[in-house]
Every structure is written in C-alpha cells, then in structure tokens.
Amino acid sequence: GEIGTDMHREEYRPFISSQKILFKAQCELAVKYHLPIIIHSRADFVGTLEVLQTLEALPQNIYFHCWGYLPAELEILKNRLDKRSYSTQLFVGFCGNISYPKAQELRDCFQYCLDNNINILIETDAPFLAPQAIRGQTNTPANIVHTYAYISEYFGIQQKRLEETIYNNFMKLYFS
C-alpha cells in the first residue's frame, strides 16, 4: 500500500510526527525486504524529503503516487536521490488531473520526467481525479483510457508506445 505523510487536511496536522515515524519505519522495512515504496505525499513535500534523507539506505524503487507538486520540487527530489544513490530508481505517477485545463504544472512535471529519463506511470487514483473528459463523475480504473488518450495527444506520443512504456515501468517497479 501507500506510505508517507499527508498534511492536506487540518485534522491530519497534529499527527505529523507520528506520520513521519511510521513512514520512516515502513521505508526501512522496504529496504530490509527489497520492496519498492509507494509514497503518498500530500501537502508535505519537505517532510517527505526529510524522511527519505534520514534513511541509511534507500529502497531500490521509489514511486511517488499521484504526483501533486511543482516541477521545481521534482527537480529537487531527482537531484537529492541522484546524490544519495545511483541504484535507486524514481517513478512518478500521474492521474486524470493532468488533463485539467489549469494543471499546466503537472504537464510540466510530466515533460520534466520525459526529458530527464524519470520513470512515469499513469494511474486512476479511483474514485478520485477523474480525467477532464468525465470530470465530476466517480473515477474507476476503466477511465484510465481517457488519461492515456489525453497524454498521448498532448505530448505527441503514439498511444501504443505510451502503453508499452507504462507497462515496462510497472514491471520494473514491482518485479526488478
């Protein structure tokens, strides 16, 4: 499952110390058992990065589920991970919200991943973040087709090639 810190809601904030302790412990277990980590980080990029920097060793694969930060933060993350470990692979997940008209920063992050050989994944985050084509409806895994179509068209990537890339990244994340 997802691990990490979440400061998005006011009621989560009093528990940030506990969240960080648990997040670090879960990261350490992932390292011990050679598992990837799937990071849920919401409104706490700095706190998430702090925890990752306190680890003696990094997991082989780090996946930021449902990326929700700025391109500058993506660059900071990439640079910090590159300095710490040459064997850790970074994966960044994008959801249907990449297709929202005001989501240019997410599209910029996607382009940054393409330009810097960062592994991308496409996800639904169902029941949330339905793609623009069906925005306002409950999201389901079947709606991923809309996100693929949008990304393919917007970035000029042949959809079959995009699907192959995402499949290969998925296999690399979980089975390498």
Side-chain angles (χ1 to χ4, degrees), residues 3-176:
I3 61 175
T5 61
D6 192 327
M7 296 281 285
H8 179 69
R9 296 184 188 269
E10 187 67 37
E11 61 266 25
Y12 300 165
R13 293 181 185 158
F15 304 103
I16 191 60
S17 295
S18 297
Q19 288 184 52
K20 287 180 179 180
I21 290 167
L22 291 170
F23 178 35
K24 181 178 181 183
Q26 291 166 322
C27 288
E28 290 168 344
L29 283 171
V31 170
K32 179 178 179 180
Y33 292 106
H34 309 287
L35 297 171
I37 58 172
I38 295 83
I39 296 177
H40 171 96
S41 177
R42 198 161 178 213
D44 191 30
F45 178 78
V46 171
T48 300
L49 197 57
E50 284 174 2
V51 170
L52 292 175
Q53 290 177 309
T54 66
L55 298 173
E56 284 187 36
L58 292 172
Q60 180 179 345
N61 295 328
I62 297 176
Y63 173 30
F64 268 78
H65 146 75
C66 192
W67 183 259
Y69 296 113
L70 302 172
E73 290 162 320
L74 183 55
E75 186 171 15
I76 290 167
L77 175 65
K78 180 189 178 306
N79 290 337
R80 298 270 173 92
L81 291 178
D82 285 351
K83 287 179 184 174
R84 291 262 337 257
S85 171
Y86 292 103
S87 62
T88 297
Q89 295 188 78
L90 177 61
F91 297 78
V92 178
F94 294 90
C95 300
N97 59 339
I98 195 171
S99 64
Y100 296 176
K102 295 181 180 177
Q104 186 57 49
E105 290 168 336
L106 283 178
R107 291 185 286 276
D108 292 345
C109 286
F110 191 93
Q111 186 64 56
Y112 182 89
C113 289
L114 293 175
D115 294 344
N116 290 278
N117 297 315
I118 296 173
N119 301 295
I120 54 170
L121 292 165
I122 299 173
E123 54 184 283
T124 61
D125 201 36
F128 309 108
L129 300 174
Q132 184 66 28
I134 56 162
R135 194 168 179 184
Q137 298 178 30
T138 299
N139 201 8
T140 68
N143 295 330
I144 198 76
V145 296
H146 299 293
T147 307
Y148 269 95
Y150 177 84
I151 289 172
S152 177
E153 182 178 332
Y154 185 89
F155 291 96
I157 303 169
Q158 183 183 45
Q159 190 159 335
K160 182 171 176 55
R161 183 174 157 245
L162 179 62
E163 291 167 0
E164 289 170 357
T165 297
I166 300 305
Y167 175 80
N168 290 335
N169 287 346
F170 172 84
M171 296 302 287
K172 194 178 353 175
L173 172 62
Y174 291 107
F175 300 106
S176 70

